[in-house]
Amino acid sequence: MARRRSRRPDQGPNRRSPAALSSTSSSRRQPLDRLAVGAMAVLTVVLGILVFSGDHATARVRDFSWQNRQVGVEDRAFLITFSRPMDPVSVEENLALDPPFPGKVSWAGRRMAYTLTEPLPYGQSFTLRLDRARDRFSAPDADVDRFQSFEAGFQSRKRAFVYIGTEGDEANRLVMADLDQQERVILTPRTLSVLAFEPYTLGDRILFSAMDADAPDGLLNQQLYTVTTGIVPRPPQDLLAEPPPFWQRLLPTPTEATPGELTLVLDNRNYQNLKFDLSADGQTIVVQRVNRDDPADFGPWVVRAGRAPYPLDTEPGGDFLIAPDSQSLVLLQGEGTAILDLSPDATRGPQLPLDFLPNYGQVLDIARDGSAAAMVNFNQNDPEKRFTESLFLVTSLGDEEELLRVSGSIREAQFDNRRRFLYVLASEQVDSRRRRNGLEVEDYAEQPLLLVIDLEARAMTKLATLPQQTTQHMSLAPDGRSLLLDVAQFEDVADGSARPRRDEDLGPGLWHLPLFTTAADQSAPTLDSPESFPFQGIQATWLP
């Protein structure tokens, strides 16, 4: 009969007792137990904070796209994002803007968009306030105090312009005049004589052409530079653009910038640089260049950051202008104006025009939205209009309308940002008699005029008759509320009253022309109180 084996526990030297095993297992579980207890304690504290901190169903503003930003004329709408879906009526009734400005409200889920109907006046600070509102799920008679009040500020860009000085230490140098701070800053060194310039959209830099001040043939040796203005832009974030990398968002935001820092953009080693234009997005420069060794080799070149400059392979042309979309070039070619593809993805090699507008010999301006252009017809093919010039409004739909015909010349034209008014510098031929050697002789002369055309009413108004001089330049402020004008004196203003005059030997003068009596009334521009600046300069141009 088989014997059962004993199942006594092994009492060997390496065998532990149950009590010892239990003690060891308990000690191994202690760190995990402590972690669980600690997590429960933290959750208890957080829960307590949530309980005692109040009702978290309270609606609030989660984001305001213009908060602490500096906005320009291209910023046409701001967004307010709420934490909960809101009752639109309660928000719109309680939204306060100080100072007020007109706009239209639209909604998309938790977001409210406020689209401006008029450009903001520059040089001002604004406050947005929303003290009371109701979320969408509240009863109509619910307490509107269940909303966390919100207040934020923002500013429009400063009122400042740039000009080329003509006297003293400013002569032939770029100067920025800040009307808000009532100060002027010289941006370029004495060693450079500035010929032309264009500001970048944010006003932080200026693109300019200049020659060596001591070079005998300086006009043939101009180079392109950029110079900083000292302005630190704080534009609203572009909601359609890719967000910046996370590491860039961690970098501190600069609060100061040094004016006068130069950067060479394009040299003149093999080509002479002539006229240039800067795209609205600041990414593209087009320069008319001539080969030093072969004058027949000339035409527009494209300059982009990070890429070598290259010529546009197209027929030789004359004057040109980059369209507001920054993707096309309007170039005078032959008997008309060609539109060329300027996008970075455009194929290299010979380019055929995207479109061609015959009979137009100059493009003076293109509306900001690209819907229309102001173009000049020199009337060379019409015997009845010979020796006259016509200003046409050409729309993107192909409509063409003659707005003005003069016996002299049409020099400049600028749309306001609403495309409501078109300001024009033109001239009419006048009889001019002078005495030479004791005899009275008749000379050819042109009388410059400052005009404004109301494109809605199709009505033209003469704002001023300007002195008979050869150089005039105007610049319309970004907010459309005033003009800068290079003139020597005023005479025969629209209302017939006398205006201050300057002696001819004082050289060009800068005038600031307010166009509207009040910011609220912008129905018709008038010259109410022209102001002359106590300094001299030419090509005065507002910063965007």
Side-chain angles (χ1 to χ4, degrees), residues 383-524:
E384 296 182 359
K385 300 179 182 179
R386 189 70 59 87
F387 307 118
T388 66
E389 295 184 9
S390 295
L391 178 65
F392 275 79
L393 180 71
V394 181
T395 70
S396 57
L397 300 177
D399 299 328
E400 304 176 12
E401 179 182 357
E402 186 179 31
L403 300 175
L404 172 68
R405 188 189 309 164
V406 297
S407 58
S409 60
I410 300 173
R411 305 179 182 183
E412 294 186 29
Q414 290 185 32
F415 290 97
D416 72 342
N417 285 293
R418 299 175 297 166
R419 220 202 84 178
R420 166 75 186 277
F421 299 108
L422 180 64
Y423 296 88
V424 182
L425 270 179
S427 64
E428 292 280 9
Q429 183 178 349
V430 295
D431 293 332
S432 177
R433 297 180 179 274
R434 298 182 182 181
R435 298 190 66 84
R436 292 180 181 175
N437 300 324
L439 299 176
E440 188 176 79
V441 296
E442 183 175 348
D443 287 341
Y444 175 84
E446 292 186 7
Q447 179 63 64
L449 304 170
L450 175 60
L451 311 170
V452 59
I453 302 174
D454 187 333
L455 297 177
E456 291 184 0
R458 292 300 192 266
M460 183 178 66
T461 302
K462 183 181 73 172
L463 294 177
T465 301
L466 307 179
Q468 294 183 14
Q469 58 177 6
T470 57
T471 58
Q472 290 110 18
H473 172 73
M474 70 174 179
S475 175
L476 180 63
D479 58 12
R481 288 170 168 80
S482 61
L483 272 171
L484 288 174
L485 197 60
D486 302 349
V487 297
Q489 64 182 9
F490 270 89
E491 54 186 34
D492 184 26
V493 197
D495 59 4
S497 60
R499 294 297 181 190
R501 290 172 174 264
R502 288 190 175 187
D503 295 333
E504 293 290 343
D505 58 0
L506 293 181
L510 300 182
W511 287 82
H512 180 227
L513 312 179
L515 297 172
F516 301 96
T517 305
T518 63
D521 181 16
Q522 298 192 37
S523 56

Side-chain angles (χ1 to χ4, degrees), residues 175-400:
V175 185
M176 184 181 72
D178 188 337
L179 299 187
D180 295 335
Q181 301 294 328
Q182 292 294 304
E183 64 180 8
R184 306 199 308 276
V185 180
I186 299 176
L187 302 177
T188 55
R190 291 188 181 90
T191 55
L192 294 178
S193 292
V194 179
L195 302 174
F197 65 91
E198 285 193 38
Y200 281 78
T201 300
L202 296 179
D204 58 332
R205 291 177 297 161
I206 308 291
L207 176 69
F208 70 96
S209 61
M211 62 184 184
D212 189 341
D214 299 326
D217 56 346
L219 288 176
L220 303 178
N221 292 286
Q222 53 184 295
Q223 303 187 113
L224 259 62
Y225 303 84
T226 61
V227 63
T228 56
T229 61
I231 294 175
V232 180
R234 292 181 286 113
Q237 180 180 348
D238 187 353
L239 300 176
L240 300 179
E242 289 286 337
F246 178 74
W247 62 269
Q248 286 188 4
R249 284 175 272 178
L250 297 178
L251 296 177
T253 303
T255 57
E256 295 182 356
T258 303
E261 294 183 350
L262 289 177
T263 302
L264 178 64
V265 176
L266 187 65
D267 60 40
N268 56 9
R269 282 178 295 181
N270 300 316
Y271 287 82
Q272 298 175 11
N273 302 314
L274 304 177
K275 174 185 166 58
F276 65 91
D277 195 24
L278 175 66
S279 64
D281 63 5
Q283 302 300 312
T284 304
I285 303 170
V286 176
V287 188
Q288 187 80 279
R289 310 188 80 192
V290 181
N291 192 317
R292 291 183 176 276
D293 299 326
D294 182 11
D297 177 14
F298 72 95
W301 284 59
V302 178
V303 181
R304 289 191 175 95
R307 298 177 60 179
Y310 64 91
L312 278 178
D313 193 353
T314 184
E315 293 294 325
D319 199 12
F320 57 85
L321 191 67
I322 301 178
D325 63 0
S326 304
Q327 303 297 308
S328 52
L329 181 71
V330 182
L331 174 67
L332 174 63
Q333 282 186 339
E335 296 294 327
T337 300
I339 301 177
L340 304 175
D341 187 3
L342 200 59
S343 62
D345 299 330
T347 58
R348 297 290 183 89
Q351 272 204 36
L352 294 177
L354 301 175
D355 198 359
F356 189 80
L357 303 174
N359 302 323
Y360 295 109
Q362 190 176 12
V363 180
L364 297 178
D365 195 22
I366 302 176
R368 178 177 289 273
D369 59 3
S371 61
M375 308 184 75
V376 177
N377 188 329
F378 295 115
N379 297 326
Q380 297 177 351
N381 299 325
D382 190 339
E384 296 182 359
K385 300 179 182 179
R386 189 70 59 87
F387 307 118
T388 66
E389 295 184 9
S390 295
L391 178 65
F392 275 79
L393 180 71
V394 181
T395 70
S396 57
L397 300 177
D399 299 328
E400 304 176 12

Side-chain angles (χ1 to χ4, degrees), residues 26-291:
S26 175
S27 64
R28 289 178 178 176
R29 288 197 301 266
Q30 283 180 0
L32 184 60
D33 293 341
R34 286 196 297 268
L35 181 62
V37 172
M40 286 188 292
V42 172
L43 291 175
T44 302
V45 172
V46 172
L47 183 61
I49 293 174
L50 293 176
V51 170
F52 290 103
S53 62
D55 183 7
H56 291 273
T58 300
R60 61 184 178 86
V61 173
R62 180 171 292 173
D63 181 68
F64 171 45
S65 61
W66 284 6
Q67 185 169 2
N68 298 326
R69 297 293 182 173
Q70 195 175 60
V71 299
V73 70
E74 69 275 9
D75 302 308
R76 298 305 306 273
F78 62 75
L79 294 179
I80 300 178
T81 304
F82 295 91
S83 61
R84 295 171 60 85
M86 301 298 294
D87 173 54
V89 175
S90 67
V91 174
E92 295 170 23
E93 288 180 348
N94 293 285
L95 183 67
L97 298 168
D98 183 27
F101 50 87
K104 298 178 180 179
V105 175
S106 59
W107 288 84
R110 298 182 183 183
R111 287 186 171 185
M112 188 202 82
Y114 191 90
T115 304
L116 278 62
T117 55
E118 300 285 347
L120 287 179
Y122 272 34
Q124 292 194 18
S125 296
F126 299 86
T127 301
L128 179 143
R129 185 179 298 106
L130 184 59
D131 293 329
R132 300 163 63 86
R134 181 184 296 109
D135 66 65
R136 185 181 300 173
F137 304 109
S138 300
D141 56 349
D143 186 4
V144 293
D145 288 338
R146 292 170 61 89
F147 177 80
Q148 183 177 334
S149 62
F150 178 79
E151 181 177 323
F154 61 95
Q155 299 82 37
S156 56
R157 292 189 189 138
K158 62 173 57 183
R159 295 191 308 146
F161 64 91
V162 180
Y163 64 93
I164 301 175
T166 58
E167 61 181 8
D169 197 37
E170 296 181 353
N172 302 318
R173 301 168 73 181
L174 268 186
V175 185
M176 184 181 72
D178 188 337
L179 299 187
D180 295 335
Q181 301 294 328
Q182 292 294 304
E183 64 180 8
R184 306 199 308 276
V185 180
I186 299 176
L187 302 177
T188 55
R190 291 188 181 90
T191 55
L192 294 178
S193 292
V194 179
L195 302 174
F197 65 91
E198 285 193 38
Y200 281 78
T201 300
L202 296 179
D204 58 332
R205 291 177 297 161
I206 308 291
L207 176 69
F208 70 96
S209 61
M211 62 184 184
D212 189 341
D214 299 326
D217 56 346
L219 288 176
L220 303 178
N221 292 286
Q222 53 184 295
Q223 303 187 113
L224 259 62
Y225 303 84
T226 61
V227 63
T228 56
T229 61
I231 294 175
V232 180
R234 292 181 286 113
Q237 180 180 348
D238 187 353
L239 300 176
L240 300 179
E242 289 286 337
F246 178 74
W247 62 269
Q248 286 188 4
R249 284 175 272 178
L250 297 178
L251 296 177
T253 303
T255 57
E256 295 182 356
T258 303
E261 294 183 350
L262 289 177
T263 302
L264 178 64
V265 176
L266 187 65
D267 60 40
N268 56 9
R269 282 178 295 181
N270 300 316
Y271 287 82
Q272 298 175 11
N273 302 314
L274 304 177
K275 174 185 166 58
F276 65 91
D277 195 24
L278 175 66
S279 64
D281 63 5
Q283 302 300 312
T284 304
I285 303 170
V286 176
V287 188
Q288 187 80 279
R289 310 188 80 192
V290 181
N291 192 317

